[in-house]
Amino acid sequence: MSDHPPLAQTPLHDVHVRLGAKMVGFAGYDMPIQFEGVMAEHKWTREHCGLFDVSHMGPCLLTLPGGPREDEDAHIEIAKLIETLVPGDIQGLEPGQARLTVLLNENGGILDDLIITRPYEGDQQGRLYIVVNGATKGDDWALMNEKLGDLADLERLDNRILVALQGPDAEAVVSESFPEAAYLGFMESRRMVCKDLTCIVSRCGYTGEDGFEILVPASGVGHIVELLGDERVKPIGLGARDSLRLEAGLCLYGHDLDPQKTPVEASLTWLISKNRRAAADFPGATKILDQIANGAPIRRVGIQPMDRAPAREGTEIYAGDKKIGEITSGGFGPTVEGPVAMGYVDREFAKTGTELTLMVRGKPRAAKVAKLPFVPHNYKR
Amino acid sequence: MTVKYTEDHEWVSVEGDTATVGITSYAAEQLGDVVFVELPDVGASFEKGDDMAVVESVKAASDVYAPVSGDVIEANTKLSDAPETVNEAPDSEGWFAKIKLSNPSELDSLMDDAAYKAFCADL
């Protein structure tokens, strides 16, 4: 008997199985790791349009007591509440604008990375649409309830379908169902209706490609199946999701980010908004502002192995005889056609081009610090 | 020439006292796209069951165990530049190493073609 609780299923579970997916346990859900193969799925996404089931993630609404309102002050009120937990400028979000940020602990350590969206609709102010990671959603929501529970209402939306459509054909595919989606810019979001399904359509994703994430009612499985019938669209598993985000230089929580790492160490200093630095009013501000001013002891960098051997998570990084860091994500990049990795190194070795040695199964292999991303982003600005 | 199989999905093709070793098409299929093979050094000695090579797909690294004991007399260096050969021709061009057998009687404990097919059918 297994010690683990039974795996949960997303509303699209049976669709994956019918399409022949290889399924694995991930974040407590039975999820597709691959369909036809990681390499083919990865390349299809970069060239056409990949459909990813990310319903295991944690979409939710945080709303002022009494419900959403129509006045600008309502947005400021709800933004001030969430800003006690994150270092991003949430008050300054325009209607329909989304922002990547991080939940911080009192030491400035990263508890999760998340996207916070201000609703576009005039009657939905005083509410934020938030998407957190699947593996951390229980802890994140417990924290939000503990800190903000008396001041705001948290509504989980993780019984719905959350899909990402990513790749150069995503705009054409998605705008057939949601014509207004074509007019969204990167990190913009709107409520849209298709066939009586009220959805939240956001122009974002985690592959480095242009694309959309769409929250769909659980009754919308048939519509997702229709999308998969489009010849430009193929279902993509978690395997290619990982290789795509790694080539795009994007962090995977629990691997590249954890509660011991600050945003400065994680090379995510850009997430700490200017006005929040001036106010110094977010968790761990003292430590983080000191690191911004004086540098952090370690830094997340891209790492390019010089031969064909992939360097996986946990691989030790050396400069000469001295251990100076560790790989936190590594594998093979199908678009790069070679191994790619990210890891943390001591600050004096963080400069692009610095020569390093990776100990892969006891053998030293040459590598150097590389600029991220490995594959240029194709966002619609 | 005899071909034998292990439960870890390696094949061993024997001619005289030399065994050519590779992974089966079942294993190659399960791994998916092979992107790197770490081959044993020529001259290295292995006992049956030792880690002999590593085969990496996009997703993960997997160990390949020595199916028989002996010394490596040749490694398939073609796989260094063309690891995809393991997917394209796992039971011919995609061989890993040639081993000079130190204990040929070990072959008796391996499966023949019919037994291996039945073994895979039950997985």
Side-chain angles (χ1 to χ4, degrees):
Chain A
M1 287 294 287
S2 161
D3 294 335
H4 299 290
L7 293 170
Q9 298 184 352
T10 76
L12 295 175
H13 181 271
D14 292 354
V15 177
H16 303 318
V17 172
R18 207 159 55 234
L19 291 169
K22 194 182 281 183
M23 306 294 285
V24 296
F26 182 80
Y29 285 78
D30 193 31
M31 297 296 286
I33 180 106
Q34 66 173 63
F35 293 84
E36 62 175 310
V38 178
M39 195 88 87
E41 291 167 34
H42 178 113
K43 289 180 175 167
W44 186 267
T45 304
R46 291 248 186 270
E47 288 161 17
H48 304 284
C49 178
L51 188 148
F52 303 72
D53 180 12
V54 289
S55 311
H56 64 293
M57 294 183 72
C60 64
L61 295 173
L62 189 72
T63 311
L64 291 174
R69 307 205 306 252
E70 296 194 2
D71 55 303
E72 176 77 17
D73 289 348
H75 170 67
I76 300 299
E77 277 177 54
I78 193 73
K80 279 183 172 167
L81 292 177
I82 199 73
E83 282 186 358
T84 60
L85 305 179
V86 304
D89 176 12
I90 308 302
Q91 293 183 53
L93 287 178
E94 300 290 334
Q97 189 185 0
R99 178 160 285 162
L100 174 69
T101 188
V102 283
L103 279 179
L104 295 174
N105 66 25
E106 289 306 317
N107 298 318
I110 301 171
L111 297 172
D112 201 6
D113 58 323
L114 62 164
I115 290 186
I116 300 182
T117 305
R118 176 180 178 180
Y120 177 76
E121 297 71 30
D123 61 354
Q124 294 292 309
Q125 302 305 304
R127 164 173 278 177
L128 298 170
Y129 172 52
I130 302 175
V131 181
V132 302
N133 275 303
T136 45
K137 63 186 179 185
D139 289 343
D140 291 357
W141 288 335
L143 178 78
M144 289 181 200
N145 272 321
E146 181 202 325
K147 303 279 187 188
L148 311 175
D150 298 338
L151 308 164
D153 299 323
L154 183 69
E155 184 190 352
R156 296 171 60 152
L157 302 177
D158 62 336
N159 55 352
R160 301 192 188 182
I161 300 166
L162 186 63
V163 288
L165 286 112
Q166 301 278 295
D169 290 340
E171 180 183 277
V173 169
V174 171
S175 54
E176 283 181 15
S177 303
F178 303 97
E180 306 146 77
Y183 303 104
L184 294 176
F186 181 60
M187 298 303 273
E188 287 179 0
S189 174
R190 298 278 192 282
R191 193 172 58 188
M192 296 181 196
V193 180
C194 174
K195 296 179 184 164
D196 293 333
L197 299 165
T198 301
C199 302
I200 300 177
V201 181
S202 305
R203 196 154 200 164
C204 62
Y206 223 59
T207 60
E209 298 300 320
D210 181 27
F212 301 83
E213 286 186 5
I214 310 177
L215 185 74
V216 183
S219 60
V221 173
H223 190 69
I224 305 300
V225 171
E226 260 177 55
L227 281 174
L228 283 166
D230 187 309
E231 60 182 13
R232 295 164 291 187
V233 181
K234 282 190 180 183
I236 311 294
L238 292 172
R241 182 168 165 82
D242 193 51
S243 56
L244 287 158
R245 69 92 200 164
L246 175 58
E247 282 185 341
L250 301 170
C251 295
L252 179 60
Y253 193 81
H255 301 262
D256 307 303
L257 305 176
D258 64 52
Q260 273 70 51
K261 308 277 186 353
T262 70
V264 185
E265 291 162 359
S267 300
L268 297 174
T269 305
W270 62 277
L271 295 183
I272 302 151
S273 301
K274 277 219 174 82
N275 60 341
R276 303 298 309 279
R277 295 183 198 191
D281 61 349
F282 50 87
T286 309
K287 179 173 178 180
I288 287 173
L289 293 173
D290 174 69
Q291 289 189 342
I292 291 174
N294 302 310
I298 56 171
R299 288 290 301 274
R300 178 178 63 95
V301 294
I303 292 169
Q304 179 67 67
M306 301 311 287
D307 60 19
R308 292 184 65 118
R312 309 277 176 184
E313 181 177 1
T315 300
E316 297 187 330
I317 305 170
Y318 284 79
D321 293 339
K322 190 179 166 216
K323 188 191 164 194
I324 54 125
E326 214 167 90
I327 300 286
T328 50
S329 275
F332 184 86
T335 304
V336 173
E337 297 184 326
V340 286
M342 294 195 286
Y344 285 80
V345 295
D346 292 347
R347 62 196 282 184
E348 59 267 41
F349 302 98
K351 209 172 154 225
T352 298
T354 304
E355 292 182 359
L356 304 169
T357 303
L358 306 176
M359 290 302 285
V360 181
R361 291 179 291 269
K363 281 190 193 161
R365 292 187 180 273
K368 63 181 183 188
V369 175
K371 230 179 144 108
L372 292 173
F374 293 103
V375 173
H377 294 161
N378 282 322
Y379 300 142
K380 171 109 175 196
R381 298 284 182 186
Chain B
M1 193 174 72
T2 336
V3 181
K4 295 277 196 144
Y5 301 87
T6 72
E7 292 188 356
D8 298 313
H9 305 283
E10 290 125 357
W11 56 263
V12 186
S13 170
V14 184
E15 268 183 297
D17 62 355
T18 300
T20 304
V21 174
I23 65 169
T24 65
S25 52
Y26 178 90
E29 172 99 349
Q30 290 296 310
L31 284 167
D33 306 293
V34 172
V35 297
F36 180 73
V37 179
E38 188 165 302
L39 294 165
D41 294 329
V42 172
S45 269
F46 293 102
E47 292 294 316
K48 183 183 177 197
D50 286 352
D51 293 349
M52 182 190 79
V54 177
V55 57
E56 301 215 28
S57 66
V58 181
K59 289 198 298 282
S62 310
D63 291 320
V64 177
Y65 307 108
V68 287
S69 304
D71 297 338
V72 175
I73 54 173
E74 194 180 343
N76 186 5
T77 50
K78 188 190 168 193
L79 300 185
S80 306
D81 292 326
E84 64 276 10
T85 311
V86 176
N87 294 112
E88 290 160 4
D91 34 23
S92 55
E93 297 289 299
W95 61 278
F96 279 43
K98 293 188 180 181
I99 294 176
K100 192 175 170 82
L101 296 169
S102 61
N103 183 1
S105 68
E106 286 171 349
L107 294 166
D108 299 339
S109 64
L110 302 183
M111 289 178 276
D112 63 16
D113 194 54
Y116 179 67
K117 280 198 178 111
F119 174 74
C120 287
D122 281 348
L123 292 176

